[in-house]
Amino acid sequence: MAGDTKTTVVDKDGNAIIVDGKPVSNDQAYEASSVAHDDAQSDVFPPFDQSTYGPQLFWLALSFGVLYLLMSKVALPKIGEILEVRRDRIEGDLAEAERLRQKTDQAISSYEAELAKSKAKAHEIAEDTRTTIKDELAEKRSEVEADLTKKLSIAEARIQKTKSDALLNVDEIATDTVIELVTKLNTKVSAKLASDAVAKILKG
Amino acid sequence: MAGTDPIHQFNIVELLSFGTIGADAQGEGGFSLVFTNSALFMVLTVGIIAGYLILSTRGRGLVPSKLQLVSEITYEFIANMIRSSAGNEGMKFFPFVFSLFTFILVSNMLGMFPYFFTVASHLIVTVALALLVMSVVIIYGVYKNGFGFLKLFVPSGIPFLVLIIVVPIEILSFLSRPLSLSLRLFGNILAGHIVLKVFAGFVVSLTSMGIFGIFGAVLPFGMTVALTGLEFLVGALQAFVFTILTCVYLNDAIHPGH
């Protein structure tokens, strides 16, 4: 508003006493002061213009109040609830996962126990079978061995008998031979005498 | 020259009038309820915040949409800010702090649009917000701690002789809080917008001076672009600073003994 022709002198009550270089009456001064006041609005640096304070404060209070009410009653509880529900859901899911994991662990351990038991059982069965087979084998072998021993002893006995029989035959043959020899020498000898002589020689 | 006048952007323009309350016979004094551009942007700010938060969370998605995520991040951001500076007890002020932060942030961001009005560029608005914060702090502090609230001025574990010096300093610092709180926001926004407008004005004046002027205008134009980015940062940062200081002051009201 530089270069404005209007110059206003204002007294301490804010009433203009000189407007455009001319002194004015009280009524005129009142009018002029209101004009000056209107002009002042664009003269003063706007943020320091006190005439705007009232409406600004009113609308700030109204809008901020409405914002506070909307936030505290509607928007924030809603967002809070969404976050709460999500947190509960995640915690629930984690708990469920943990439960399932424990169940899995349990299943694995029971499986392992079962496996170990089965292994032990299999081992036992194998051991049993082995001992049974061993026993059977031993039995059979001893049977066979006994059989063989028996057969051997029978054979030995037979050999012994044959041997003694043969020896007995040797006596007879010797006796016969002696009789034959003596006969050839033109000497008669009784069978009894010949066998006694043979026996005497064999014994001697 | 209104186009390059850096102060013009702060003018309050009357849009609608709802008359005045308590005016005298001549229509002077009283309280006028004119709906100005300032009021328009306050209402717009509130509308954007409330509209966005309510509409973006309408789906109540367990898996949030991108829009809902912004609301949730803002919520968590303010909630964490309060919890870290004022503890869990500070959460009863959550709607208040949240409203403050979003109001300042959104109004500052709106103010970055050309021809838009910046609410925080008027001292009365920032003073009112700062006084609101200090009133909440003092009223709640006295309500909760009674005379114990005065412990705020007496740091514990300090010898008596030192207290004689420290207590006046503490009182002075407490009294200067609303001043610094309001002037910081006001000053940053006002100065930033003026500087931005001055540099933008250089571009306009220089380009009207012919071909050399157009080349000369490149420099202030670059400056304007850079300052625009800076102003976005300042606008967001000042909203953050205002809010975090509010949290710190609320912490004093909740736990007055340091």
Side-chain angles (χ1 to χ4, degrees):
Chain A
M1 279 295 167
D4 200 328
T5 50
K6 244 176 234 162
T7 49
T8 308
V9 179
V10 181
D11 69 8
K12 65 180 190 292
D13 293 317
N15 291 328
I17 46 172
I18 300 167
V19 175
D20 297 342
K22 283 176 276 182
V24 289
S25 67
N26 256 357
D27 283 355
Q28 280 173 312
Y30 182 74
E31 259 182 60
S33 84
S34 62
V35 169
H37 177 75
D38 284 344
D39 283 338
Q41 196 160 354
S42 48
D43 248 356
V44 177
F45 183 52
F48 298 143
D49 183 359
Q50 292 184 15
S51 69
T52 67
Y53 286 4
Q56 284 205 82
L57 280 177
F58 172 77
W59 287 105
L60 177 67
L62 190 72
S63 53
F64 194 77
V66 168
L67 178 68
Y68 180 81
L69 279 180
L70 282 174
M71 291 300 107
S72 62
K73 299 287 177 222
V74 185
L76 296 181
K78 201 167 153 188
I79 300 174
E81 191 198 311
I82 292 171
L83 294 174
E84 189 82 10
V85 165
R86 184 176 309 146
R87 197 176 301 129
D88 286 355
R89 175 72 183 272
I90 288 170
E91 271 169 13
D93 284 0
L94 281 179
E96 176 72 8
E98 178 64 19
R99 196 183 64 77
L100 288 175
R101 200 181 61 81
Q102 274 177 0
K103 215 168 147 188
T104 313
D105 282 357
Q106 216 176 335
I108 288 173
S109 63
S110 74
Y111 159 78
E112 269 170 359
E114 197 71 25
L115 189 69
K117 220 165 103 188
S118 303
K119 268 182 181 167
K121 208 169 166 189
H123 188 71
E124 202 181 312
I125 290 171
E127 201 64 29
D128 270 6
T129 314
R130 199 179 298 149
T131 46
T132 314
I133 290 170
K134 216 194 248 173
D135 285 357
E136 248 168 48
L137 271 176
E139 203 180 316
K140 266 189 185 155
R141 190 195 286 152
S142 63
E143 224 169 70
V144 168
E145 273 173 357
D147 199 31
L148 281 176
T149 318
K150 210 167 116 196
K151 273 182 182 164
L152 201 68
S153 60
I154 289 169
E156 266 174 359
R158 207 165 61 209
I159 290 168
Q160 199 63 40
K161 195 171 164 261
T162 312
K163 203 176 162 187
S164 59
D165 280 0
L167 279 175
L168 219 66
N169 288 345
V170 167
D171 284 4
E172 269 173 31
I173 291 163
T175 309
D176 284 350
T177 311
V178 167
I179 292 169
E180 203 70 27
L181 278 172
V182 173
T183 311
K184 283 267 168 88
L185 290 171
N186 295 323
T187 324
K188 277 262 191 205
V189 70
S190 67
K192 187 173 166 11
L193 200 67
S195 72
D196 281 353
V198 169
K200 201 174 165 188
I201 291 162
L202 284 174
K203 271 175 194 161
Chain B
M1 280 299 278
T4 55
D5 176 15
I7 305 300
H8 183 258
Q9 57 180 323
F10 303 118
N11 278 348
I12 299 272
V13 182
E14 184 179 321
L15 301 174
L16 282 170
S17 182
F18 297 103
T20 53
I21 299 171
D24 58 28
Q26 282 82 28
E28 276 296 303
F31 194 85
S32 71
L33 295 182
V34 285
F35 189 78
T36 59
N37 52 348
S38 163
L40 172 69
F41 279 95
M42 288 176 194
V43 172
L44 213 59
T45 300
V46 172
I48 288 171
I49 296 167
Y52 184 86
L53 288 180
I54 291 168
L55 289 180
S56 71
T57 57
R58 201 173 35 174
R60 289 170 183 269
L62 197 64
V63 178
S65 62
K66 277 176 194 162
L67 295 179
Q68 189 185 325
L69 199 61
V70 173
S71 301
E72 287 176 11
I73 287 171
T74 318
Y75 181 100
E76 294 277 5
F77 175 66
I78 302 295
N80 288 336
M81 192 196 283
I82 297 175
R83 278 200 203 98
S84 61
S85 56
N88 271 329
E89 252 181 291
M91 284 307 281
K92 59 178 70 130
F93 298 106
F94 180 52
F96 175 62
V97 176
F98 189 91
S99 304
L100 264 183
F101 176 73
T102 49
F103 186 83
I104 299 172
L105 179 73
V106 172
S107 67
N108 283 351
M109 292 300 119
L110 272 180
M112 287 308 295
F113 286 94
Y115 297 104
F116 278 25
F117 181 82
T118 318
V119 174
S121 69
H122 274 249
L123 186 59
I124 187 67
V125 173
T126 63
V127 164
L129 290 176
L131 286 179
L132 179 65
V133 170
M134 294 324 288
S135 318
V136 169
V137 167
I138 292 169
I139 291 169
Y140 183 76
V142 172
Y143 161 75
K144 184 163 176 284
N145 306 295
F147 279 110
F149 185 56
L150 294 177
K151 270 192 285 185
L152 181 63
F153 304 120
V154 189
S156 56
I158 287 183
F160 180 74
L161 281 176
V162 184
L163 276 183
I164 296 172
I165 309 165
V166 168
V167 169
I169 294 174
E170 287 282 337
I171 293 173
L172 205 66
S173 87
F174 185 82
L175 291 178
S176 68
R177 279 175 181 182
L179 207 68
S180 66
L181 197 58
S182 55
L183 285 180
R184 185 181 302 111
L185 178 58
F186 165 69
N188 270 287
I189 300 304
L190 182 86
H193 279 73
I194 290 177
V195 169
L196 196 57
K197 192 65 181 271
V198 165
F199 276 97
F202 282 163
V203 179
V204 176
S205 329
L206 281 171
T207 45
S208 65
M209 282 164 66
I211 189 80
F212 291 109
I214 290 171
F215 280 115
V218 170
L219 213 63
F221 182 75
M223 200 67 188
T224 309
V225 172
L227 279 171
T228 306
L230 184 72
E231 274 312 295
F232 273 109
L233 178 73
V234 167
L237 201 67
Q238 287 307 315
F240 173 74
V241 168
F242 196 98
T243 318
I244 193 107
L245 284 174
T246 302
C247 291
V248 170
Y249 298 160
L250 284 171
N251 183 43
D252 283 345
I254 297 164
H255 318 284
H258 291 242

